[in-house]
Amino acid sequence: MGKGQDLWKVAKTVIPGGNMLLSKRPEMFLPDLWPAYFSRAAGCRVWDLDGREYTDMSIMGIGCNTLGYGRPEVDEAVKRTVDLGNMATLNAPEEVELAQRLIALHPWADMARFARTGGEANAISIRIARAASGRDGVALCGYHGWHDWYLAANLGNEEKLAGHLLPGLSPNGVPKSLRGSVFPFAYNDYDRLEDLVRTEDIGVIKMEVSRNYEPEGDFLRRVRQLADERGLILIFDECTSGFRQAYGGLHKIYGVEPDMAVFGKALGNGYAVTAVLGKRDIMQAAQNTFISSTFWTERIGSVAGLATLEVMGREQSWETITATGKDITARWQALGRKYGLPLTTAGVPALTAFSIKGPNWLAYKTLITQEMLEKGYLAGNSVYTCTEHTPAIVDGYFEALEPVFALIRECEDGRDVKTLLKGPIAHGGFSRLN
């Protein structure tokens, strides 16, 4: 099993859940066999604790590293910052420059606040928007982190906790008094949103621009119009989608501007920095509440953000990773047709994923990860593309993947997939609203 699995067993005895992020738990990939920990990462390569090298055709640092692991320009800027000092009694000037750069990319915005994680940034945006609107109710669509304000959507109408918005995400520990403060609606379901706005005391609409599905017709424009007509604050959560299909937010592609937007993940190419942008009259509401944290003032995040923006702008990275994602998606679809598999794809091109319909899907996903790991790939049913995913690397990936699809075809024809697995089936995770 290797040193990684040995350490994972220890981790679960000293860390609740084993680590800090559900999406990185080995059980989500290949229980008992996933290498679990890395010793080094560069480009799109990862080395485990036993020194084995893998090509990462999976989630690339949970989508943070669109420029690849260890991008020299970003890392060198961070190293200079370490030499100069990361924290001091005075403020870091780079945060002002980063705010100016992000506002220049989004002319509808006037001000910015920074944090270090997506959950924090989303919570900041909700606090500011509620303060500005004077209303507590939030209509939401999509995934926005782990904080109480969001998980309150899982609080049922009965005494017990019920009505889970996202299966598998328990609201245990979330005050029951928050019940009825957050109201979910499904993506493209404008009628549901309109009904919520009409019947509840909604002050904020919080949503992802797009994740698994494209907006139907003029859905986003209708949402914008509804917010304008009712005096609501529209927040686009671009933590995941930002800088993947445009130089800035995905909303630029659709020509719909929010009142606030949240950015993260790709902004620092692996370093912790997130941003909340907004219109001046809304953002100034931050002065009438309390939003403050020591490590939001550290210097590395802002420096990494500036360096990442510079490389992105110079190389037009969003175009490269989008093209790569479209190519991968098309080749998955071609394999599905070749082997007669009920394969579907979804996601923003640079966050592409596939599934094979049927009761054995999780077993098939586990088989893919198992077989690809033996061939030197970290892989499953999704690829978060980066600029280091060259055509040659993608070709090698598909050369390794095709025999696994042939195995799945055999299983569809009657072979027992469980006889091919060397460990338990991977966990299913949680589903999303869109």
Side-chain angles (χ1 to χ4, degrees):
M1 292 185 181
K3 295 178 181 178
Q5 275 295 320
D6 290 341
L7 186 58
W8 179 245
K9 289 179 173 58
V10 174
K12 289 193 285 188
T13 69
V14 294
I15 300 173
N19 69 354
M20 314 314 137
L21 184 68
L22 173 66
S23 299
K24 280 192 176 183
R25 291 180 185 174
E27 290 82 2
M28 303 297 288
F29 300 92
L30 193 63
D32 297 342
L33 297 170
W34 191 246
Y37 296 90
F38 76 102
S39 61
R40 186 163 71 95
C44 61
R45 314 281 185 180
V46 176
W47 287 260
D48 68 14
L49 299 187
D50 295 295
R52 289 188 291 259
E53 178 183 341
Y54 305 96
T55 300
D56 196 338
M57 297 299 292
S58 183
I59 51 179
M60 282 299 298
I62 319 298
C64 294
N65 295 84
T66 61
L67 302 178
Y69 298 126
R71 179 70 186 217
E73 298 96 319
V74 180
D75 285 1
E76 287 165 9
V78 169
K79 290 173 185 176
R80 289 194 298 270
T81 299
V82 172
D83 291 338
L84 292 171
N86 184 45
M87 285 286 280
T89 298
L90 302 181
N91 295 296
E94 290 85 357
E95 67 184 19
V96 181
E97 184 181 355
L98 182 58
Q100 292 171 324
R101 290 286 301 277
L102 289 172
I103 291 168
L105 289 174
H106 302 90
W108 58 266
D110 304 297
M111 306 187 84
R113 286 292 298 258
F114 298 111
R116 293 298 174 258
T117 73
E120 289 175 335
N122 274 292
I124 290 169
S125 72
I126 288 295
R127 173 72 67 78
I128 292 174
R130 279 174 164 164
S133 71
R135 284 174 280 179
D136 294 340
V138 177
L140 68 82
C141 176
Y143 176 70
H144 308 293
W146 64 274
H147 288 241
D148 282 3
W149 78 266
Y150 179 66
L151 285 186
N154 277 0
L155 295 171
N157 295 321
E158 301 177 9
E159 190 64 25
K160 62 181 181 180
L161 299 177
H164 293 293
L165 174 63
L166 299 176
L169 293 187
S170 171
N172 289 342
V174 177
K176 295 180 182 180
S177 60
L178 294 178
R179 181 184 298 135
S181 60
V182 181
F183 306 89
F185 66 96
Y187 195 72
N188 281 322
D189 190 352
Y190 177 80
D191 290 341
R192 167 63 174 164
L193 172 60
E194 188 177 45
D195 183 61
L196 287 174
V197 170
R198 184 175 61 254
T199 59
E200 306 293 345
D201 187 28
I202 302 296
V204 181
I205 300 173
K206 174 86 163 179
M207 62 182 295
E208 292 179 285
V209 179
S210 173
R211 182 182 287 267
N212 289 334
Y213 308 112
E214 290 281 333
E216 295 177 355
D218 57 353
F219 171 65
L220 291 177
R221 293 187 183 280
R222 294 180 74 190
V223 172
R224 174 70 270 178
Q225 183 177 358
L226 179 65
D228 290 337
E229 291 173 351
R230 298 297 185 110
L232 310 179
I233 296 173
L234 175 60
I235 306 174
F236 283 158
D237 178 358
E238 296 251 26
C239 272
T240 298
S241 59
F243 298 96
R244 295 187 198 278
Q245 208 165 333
Y247 193 28
L250 180 61
H251 65 270
K252 297 171 75 169
I253 297 293
Y254 298 110
V256 178
E257 296 178 347
D259 300 304
M260 302 177 71
V262 180
F263 295 93
K265 291 192 183 290
L267 182 57
N269 201 56
Y271 292 97
V273 57
T274 54
V276 180
L277 304 186
K279 297 177 179 178
R280 187 176 306 278
D281 59 337
I282 295 171
M283 294 294 288
Q284 287 287 17
Q287 296 294 86
N288 301 321
T289 181
F290 184 64
I291 304 171
S292 183
S293 183
T294 298
F295 281 99
W296 292 345
T297 69
E298 62 86 33
R299 198 177 198 177
I300 285 175
S302 297
V303 167
L306 287 168
T308 300
L309 288 176
E310 181 180 350
V311 177
M312 285 178 173
R314 184 177 71 241
E315 297 188 356
Q316 298 185 316
S317 59
W318 61 94
E319 293 185 358
T320 299
I321 62 177
T322 294
T324 301
K326 287 181 177 178
D327 177 48
I328 290 171
T329 302
R331 293 171 76 167
W332 280 338
Q333 293 168 342
L335 278 182
R337 290 191 297 271
K338 179 175 181 178
Y339 290 96
L341 300 174
L343 182 144
T344 60
T345 59
V348 173
L351 301 168
T352 186
F354 73 90
S355 61
I356 298 172
K357 294 180 180 179
N360 290 325
W361 165 235
L362 278 180
Y364 292 160
K365 178 184 173 184
T366 307
L367 178 65
I368 291 167
T369 301
Q370 172 187 288
E371 297 301 299
M372 294 297 283
L373 190 69
E374 291 185 357
K375 298 177 182 182
Y377 291 89
L378 301 179
N381 71 310
S382 60
V383 177
Y384 292 4
T385 58
C386 75
T387 56
E388 296 294 312
H389 285 134
T390 63
I393 285 174
V394 173
D395 287 346
Y397 162 74
F398 275 97
E399 183 178 345
L401 183 64
E402 181 164 355
V404 190
F405 269 58
L407 274 179
I408 293 173
R409 178 67 264 169
E410 291 181 23
C411 294
E412 288 285 279
D413 291 337
R415 188 172 183 179
D416 186 356
V417 63
K418 293 180 181 178
T419 65
L420 297 172
L421 299 179
K422 300 176 182 179
I425 293 174
H427 293 187
F430 57 86
S431 62
R432 300 181 188 272
L433 275 175
N434 65 340

